Structure formats: C-alpha cells, structure tokens
Amino acid sequence: MNNRINKAISIMQGAWIDFSSTAKGNPFFLLIPFTYPIALLFVMYLNTGTRYLGLLLVGAILAEIINAGTAVFSETGSSKLFFKTFDLYVASPTSPFVYCMTISASWILMNSLAIFLFLLLALYFTHAGLLAVIATILIAIETSMVLGFIAFSAGTRLKTERDVFALGTILSFGLTLLSPIYYPITVLPPFVQMLSFLFPSTGPAILLQWAFGILNVNSNLVILSIANILVYLIIGIVAVKTALWREE
Amino acid sequence: MNQYALDSIKLAKNYGNTQALKEVTFSIKKGEIFSLLGRNGAGKTTFVRIATGQLMPTSGKLSVAGYDIIKEVEKVRENIAVVPQEARVIRSSSACEFIQLYLLMRGNVGIENTRTIALNALKKIGLEHKANISARQLSGGERHKMLLACAIASDASVLFLDEPSIGLDVHSRRKLWEILLKLKSEGKTIVLTTHYLDEAEFLSDRIAVINKGVVCKIGSPSAIIKDSGFELRVDIDESDIEKLTIPKGVKVNKLADKVRVLGEEKIVKKIVSQALSKKLKVSVAGPNLEDAFLNLVGAENEQQN
Ligand SMILES: Nc1ncnc2c1ncn2[C@@H]1O[C@H](COP(=O)(O)OP(=O)(O)O)[C@@H](O)[C@H]1O
Ligand SMILES: [Mg+2]
C-alpha cells in the first residue's frame, strides 16, 4: 500500500518536473493547445453566434484530453527511436506503467490551462453545474489514462522515426473528427453511429455531452457508451502489459 | 551468496540472419571494473543491451546481480543503471531536472530530495556549474557526463557504461577514470565497453576481447599482453624496411608510414642492432594492450561504423 502511494507520488512529481521544465524552457508551448479549438470557436461564432459554442467547448475539452493521450505516442516513439532516452528507463527499475503514466500526466498538465479555460466557458454557455465538473474530471482521468496506455504501447512498436509525428497527428485527427466529440452522435446515420463506437473517445464524448445537458441520450446510447469505455479500459490495460518495453 | 555480478553462459543473439553474439561465456566478479573490447560491430552494445534488460537474447543464460535476465528481469533492473551509447534530451529541462526525472521514474520520492542527489552527482562529475542550464545547450561531452551522473545518482550496484569516453576531451577522460575508480572503491561493479585501449588497460581489472560476436580472449590487461607472446616491439619507417632482413617468428604490422615489428625480445633486439648499424631511425618499446588486441582481432585498418 505504502509502496503504491510512493509510486503515485513519484509519478506526479516526475510529471511536474517534466511539465514545469518544458513550460519554463518553451513558454509558447502552453499556447499550442488553444490554437485549433479557438479557431473553430471563432468561425462558429461568426456564422451562428453563441448557439453552438457550448457544444464546441465541451468538444474542445475532450480534444485536449485526446491530444494529451496521442502525444504519448509521439513521445514514446521519438524517445525510443531518435532521442534514445527510452533505453535509460528500460534499463532501470522504471516500469512501463510508471513511464507511461508520468508522460501522460505531464501532457495533461501541458494542456490543463486550456482544459480549465474551456471548462469555465462551457459551464457558462451551457449553464451546467457540478455534475458536469465531476464528469469532466472523471472522464479526463479515464480517457487520458486509456489513450495514454494504448498510445504508449503503440509507440513502443514503431520501427522508424519517420512515422512518429505523421502518425501521431493522424491519430489525433481521427479521434477528434471521426468520433463525435464536436457534434452530437445523433446527427450521424445509424450505421455510422455504430461504427463510431469503435473509437475510444466516443463513449466519453457522449457521456460528457450528456453531463453538460447538450445531448439527450436514450438508454441504448448510455449502455453503448459505458460498454465502449469499459472495453477500452481493458484494451488499455492489456496494451501496457504487452508493450514492447524490452525488444525481442 | 553469488559472488558474480554477471554470469553469462553460452549467450547468443541473432538479428534475423546476423549472428551478433555467438555463445558468449564469461563472468564478472563483484567490485570489478570489467571492459568489453572489440571493433565496431563486434557485439558489445548488443551484449550490454541484453544484460540490462533492453533486449531479449536468442539463447543462452545470463544473470546480473544474481538474478536471471529472463525470469527475474525486474530484480535485475532494480540493481543496475546504464549509460547508453547515445541519448539526447527531448525537452528543455536542465541537467539537474533531467536527472531528477530519471530518479523519480526509478521510484525515488521527493522533488527536493532528488534535487540534492542530482546536484551531488553533477558535482562528482564536475558539471555542477551547468546544473541549471538547459541540457540541450550542453556540448556532446557534457551531455554524456550528465548521463553518467544519472547512473551515479542511482543507487545501482552494477553500472553499465557503453563507450563512456566518446566525445570527452583529455581532461574529462582522466576525470572520468578517476570517478570510475572511486565508484569501484565504493564497491560498485562497472562494466564498460570501449575501443580506447589505453583506457581499458589503465582501468580494467579484467577484459574480454570480443571479435565478431565471439569472446576470443579474457583476462587481466597484463595477462593478455603476456599471452600475446610479444616481449618487445620496434617501429621503423616504412621506406627503411627493405634495407633490413626481418627474421621469421615476428609479427609485422603497418602503422601509417611506419612498420611495427613485434616478437621475442631476443629477435627484436637483433633487428634493432641491424637498423642502428645502418643508422636508421627506430623507436623501441614494450608491447601494450593495443599490440595484443590487434594480434587477436586482426590488424587490417579498414574503417567500419
Ligand atoms: N537492431 C539491430 N538489427 C539488426 N542488426 C543489428 C541491430 N543492432 C546491431 N546489429 C548488428 O549486430 C552487430 C553488433 O552490433 P553492436 O552490438 O552494436 O556492436 P558494437 O557495439 O560492438 O559496435 C553489428 O553487425 C550490427 O550491425
Ligand atoms: Mg556499440
């Protein structure tokens, strides 16, 4: 037990060192998470006023969480193939779980300013309350962990550094646009709705939109969303356990 | 209690069709400085990567710090630290923060605590004045020292250093040697790979010479020199060599514009007096590890990476 608590503290402190040193060295990095969602919000506002801002802001919160997760993919891949700091950690008591959690948490910290701002604005535009805040926190933890696990595991399997950044960006693009985070799933044809449950971000998106009162969900959607989250939780845990920490 | 820090039995590694290691068998005693010597591509890094739990062997058995590298790799990892042949800094963290992150990931707790340990390690290595500047701004040699400081800061009992003196200037190399001897006196076992033969000769209690994945010689530097059978050597200008009759039973190697003749003292002395009588320039010395090494792995001086 004590051991676990110590491990958790080490992870938090490691993430803090990693985040704060990056933020100090490159303060502009902190602005990157704002760029894409704000462009989206601005264009939407010009065209339709404030009507859809709540929906977009909730989507932006999730987009930040997704980007933090997929960043773990690029970081793991480049650390292994290009920077080689990966070797330093593999040949030490650092477990794949600790490595992956530390990086995930560091990326969440990097995006936390944006998440916090979008959350405040989303609460303002949707008039949502405490339930939405709690849902955001739980979904942020769950989604960033699951995506971090899967992204890390995939990152350890990369063969050439050439693919690292392109694949990371495509992954983010797929998750934030093809899964219904910026729009309600109900606008999709029923068959496509089913397909979108193949993405790990779909369950979290639906529950988050529901918690903010944006989406009316029927019980089918709730069950599918929870199933989606649970299945990906299992996939995530299996992914960390089978990561290519030691090479074959 | 196991007296070995490392025990390798018929360890082999194939990358596809390339046999990088072929049935490597040797052991390293606790508290030794042990060098793996070999040309580029000999298999040194492959061995270190297997011994440090980074790479699976194809066959054979290897234990490190008394634990099996396949079945008990977590235990192995608790007892080791590695300085990889190359590693660059991803983020803009300072040298101190880089080491702190390394320690926190290893399971140490406390930002202040790890900072103290990191600063101490940087001090030992002579880099404390660069502790707080971005690690990206460090020179290659300084960055390498920072990686070494990571290993020093860990409480690992077996340290693996893959070509630790690459990119270091003469002073830093001497300093590194001093540090490694100090670590040894603190009871640590140090496994290093190098192709600087002076370094291996000066530091190592024992050496394993690896050639094309095979351990072709193992022993103390002096024993390896003695076993070469060379007692004396003489260097002669290449243009002068045809003026001399070189007797059988010596080894003749080309060294840039010189020729080095190695062999038994009696025979080499004959060549020397022959050369002196013809007023040729010669330089005579005892054989060193380099002479023995070249004899073991072949003297062709083709370049490889
Ligand atoms: N990941 C790899 N895939 C295929 N071949 C490799 C790999 N790593 C090393 N090798 C090959 O194995 C041999 C030994 O390499 P290495 O252990 O790096 O040698 P050293 O460190 O002694 O220079 C070389 O022929 C090298 O090309
Ligand atoms: Mg090497």
Side-chain angles (χ1 to χ4, degrees):
Chain A
M1 191 61 206
N2 228 342
N3 208 341
R4 292 228 166 134
I5 294 174
N6 278 348
K7 212 175 236 182
I9 296 175
S10 298
I11 290 172
M12 300 294 190
Q13 293 180 327
W16 175 254
I17 289 275
D18 195 44
F19 159 72
S20 61
S21 60
T22 310
K24 249 186 305 171
N26 310 37
F28 289 131
F29 269 29
L30 293 172
L31 295 180
I32 295 173
F34 290 92
T35 50
Y36 183 64
I38 285 189
L40 215 54
L41 285 161
F42 183 62
V43 171
M44 188 59 95
Y45 175 73
L46 290 183
N47 284 293
T48 59
T50 56
R51 196 168 149 209
Y52 293 111
L53 290 193
L55 174 69
L56 282 192
L57 283 160
V58 172
I61 294 171
L62 204 55
E64 298 304 344
I65 296 164
I66 291 169
N67 289 339
T70 52
V72 174
F73 171 81
S74 310
E75 177 143 352
T76 304
S78 58
S79 164
K80 178 166 175 162
L81 298 168
F82 182 69
F83 294 101
K84 311 270 186 193
T85 36
F86 196 72
D87 296 354
L88 210 60
Y89 292 113
V90 176
S92 86
T94 312
S95 67
F97 176 77
V98 167
Y99 178 86
C100 160
M101 284 295 282
T102 307
I103 298 183
S104 285
S106 164
W107 277 104
I108 279 286
L109 283 173
M110 196 79 90
N111 292 2
S112 59
L113 206 61
I115 293 175
F116 185 66
L117 183 84
F118 294 148
L119 174 61
L120 286 186
L121 289 172
L123 290 171
Y124 172 79
F125 281 108
T126 61
H127 309 291
L130 191 61
L131 171 70
V133 176
I134 293 171
T136 304
I137 293 171
L138 291 180
I139 285 173
I141 293 172
E142 189 272 339
T143 311
S144 61
M145 263 174 62
V146 166
L147 289 180
F149 288 169
I150 297 172
F152 160 75
S153 188
T156 63
R157 280 161 214 286
L158 278 167
K159 290 273 180 285
T160 71
E161 62 185 81
R162 190 197 59 192
D163 302 334
V164 171
F165 289 101
L167 285 181
T169 311
I170 291 168
L171 205 62
S172 268
F173 171 80
L175 289 175
T176 50
L177 224 60
L178 298 182
S179 105
I181 75 159
Y182 281 118
Y183 49 89
I185 189 167
T186 45
V187 302
L188 299 171
F191 173 68
V192 184
Q193 284 190 25
M194 287 299 122
L195 280 186
S196 73
F197 276 101
L198 295 176
F199 290 103
S201 43
T202 299
I206 290 169
L207 293 185
L208 203 60
Q209 288 172 354
W210 169 72
F212 277 88
I214 292 167
L215 183 69
N216 284 321
V217 290
N218 57 38
S219 54
N220 270 350
L221 273 185
V222 173
I223 292 171
L224 278 173
S225 300
I226 291 174
N228 169 266
I229 288 176
L230 290 179
V231 167
Y232 269 103
L233 199 58
I234 294 168
I235 293 177
I237 291 167
V238 172
V240 185
K241 298 242 181 245
T242 56
L244 209 57
W245 191 241
R246 166 155 63 174
E247 264 172 58
E248 292 299 321
Chain B
M1 235 351 241
N2 194 334
Q3 56 162 330
Y4 293 122
L6 183 152
D7 192 14
S8 171
I9 301 167
K10 293 194 171 180
L11 193 78
K13 177 71 192 176
N14 303 342
Y15 295 108
N17 292 327
T18 320
Q19 278 189 298
L21 292 175
K22 300 167 203 162
E23 308 219 329
V24 168
T25 301
F26 67 88
S27 42
I28 299 176
K29 294 192 200 96
K30 281 187 181 152
E32 268 188 322
I33 296 187
F34 192 96
S35 299
L36 296 170
L37 273 184
R39 304 177 57 179
N40 291 325
K44 306 179 295 293
T45 297
T46 301
F47 184 84
V48 168
R49 284 174 60 82
I50 293 173
T52 52
Q54 299 178 60
L55 184 68
M56 280 298 245
T58 305
S59 63
K61 246 176 100 69
L62 177 62
S63 67
V64 174
Y67 298 103
D68 185 83
I69 194 71
I70 295 171
K71 291 188 220 116
E72 304 165 296
V73 68
E74 271 94 13
K75 284 279 177 202
V76 170
R77 287 177 177 141
E78 277 171 26
N79 288 286
I80 60 165
V82 69
V83 179
Q85 192 169 352
E86 45 167 349
R88 281 164 282 195
V89 188
I90 300 192
R91 306 291 186 81
S92 49
S93 51
S94 69
C96 184
E97 287 162 336
F98 186 89
I99 302 171
Q100 278 180 278
L101 178 60
Y102 174 72
L103 291 173
L104 289 164
M105 286 238 215
R106 276 189 82 105
N108 292 43
V109 180
I111 301 238
E112 272 316 305
N113 174 37
T114 50
R115 188 172 165 78
T116 312
I117 303 173
L119 286 174
N120 259 330
L122 285 169
K123 198 164 173 187
K124 264 195 192 169
I125 206 98
L127 204 64
E128 73 270 34
H129 58 294
K130 298 272 173 84
N132 294 315
I133 69 162
S134 167
R136 280 195 186 153
Q137 290 167 22
L138 300 178
S139 72
E142 287 169 339
R143 218 174 308 139
H144 215 92
K145 284 190 202 169
M146 180 186 79
L147 294 175
L148 190 66
C150 285
I152 293 174
S154 76
D155 49 11
S157 61
V158 187
L159 308 184
F160 290 86
L161 318 177
D162 199 357
E163 302 195 12
S165 46
I166 285 270
L168 296 190
D169 60 33
V170 180
H171 292 84
S172 302
R173 215 149 77 89
R174 292 280 149 85
K175 175 100 191 164
L176 171 75
W177 295 359
E178 233 173 74
I179 292 161
L180 294 186
L181 289 172
K182 175 128 194 299
L183 288 169
K184 176 190 146 122
S185 74
E186 291 167 8
K188 308 227 176 202
T189 308
I190 297 166
V191 184
L192 59 99
T193 77
T194 183
H195 30 228
Y196 293 118
L197 291 130
D198 56 336
E199 179 165 291
E201 186 169 356
F202 180 79
L203 283 175
S204 319
D205 296 302
R206 287 187 312 135
I207 289 169
V209 177
I210 303 187
N211 193 28
K212 296 179 183 149
V214 178
V215 175
C216 57
K217 192 84 200 173
I218 184 157
S220 66
S222 54
I224 290 178
I225 296 169
K226 189 149 176 278
D227 285 358
S228 70
F230 301 147
E231 292 167 359
L232 201 63
R233 69 176 201 214
V234 54
D235 293 351
I236 305 160
D237 282 346
E238 195 182 7
S239 49
D240 291 340
I241 196 78
E242 63 241 28
K243 298 176 192 153
L244 300 169
T245 26
I246 304 293
K248 283 215 166 66
V250 293
K251 182 102 186 168
V252 183
N253 290 336
K254 214 171 111 40
L255 273 178
D257 60 345
K258 297 240 188 274
V259 171
R260 174 168 293 180
V261 185
L262 299 124
E264 281 173 35
E265 190 171 339
K266 224 168 43 193
I267 308 178
V268 174
K269 273 188 174 159
K270 274 192 195 137
I271 302 172
V272 174
S273 51
Q274 214 189 122
L276 289 176
S277 68
K278 296 188 177 163
K279 299 209 158 54
L280 304 179
K281 214 167 71 194
V282 295
S283 75
V284 184
N288 60 16
L289 189 61
E290 188 166 328
D291 299 317
F293 176 78
L294 288 176
N295 193 41
L296 284 166
V297 305
E300 332 90 271
N301 13 325
E302 78 235 49
Q303 292 285 314
Q304 277 187 8
N305 284 317

